[in-house]
Amino acid sequence: MATISLRKGNTRLPPEVNRVLYVRNLPFNISSEEMYDIFGKYGAIRQIRLGTNKDTRGTAFVVYEDIYDAKTAVDHLSGFNVANRYLIVLYYQQAKMSKKQDTKKKEEEIMKMQEKYGLSSKDK
């Protein structure tokens, strides 16, 4: 199987580039084998994790062995059509992911406080 290589001497990569990709807008019924077929064309894959619960369906994490392979995959697969859905392929960024989780936790805390003190968003 031929892989596409990006290495050109000492190529400097942007700081957001890493080996872990976050993929959105996947068909819900896509299999791991199909994911390996699509993403494996760009290099050796260490791991693919497909979202399975209600909140994470249609998403996946793809971990490449090499950072240059991950960059090539992002460059070629962003906007790629799979089962009439256009893939959104991003570099995984821990800080952004944890911010989303923090926001959800804060919203839940606010709801609990409103219930506890008998307030609703209409009272404001």
Side-chain angles (χ1 to χ4, degrees), residues 26-65:
L26 287 165
F28 289 166
N29 60 350
I30 195 164
S31 68
S32 295
E33 292 78 23
E34 292 170 314
M35 289 289 291
Y36 277 98
D37 287 345
I38 294 167
F39 286 87
K41 293 176 184 170
Y42 301 99
I45 294 173
R46 179 171 290 181
Q47 182 180 52
I48 291 180
R49 303 284 301 224
L50 282 168
T52 54
N53 70 19
K54 192 176 106 181
D55 294 340
T56 60
R57 283 191 343 194
T59 65
F61 290 98
V62 179
V63 183
Y64 278 92
E65 293 287 342

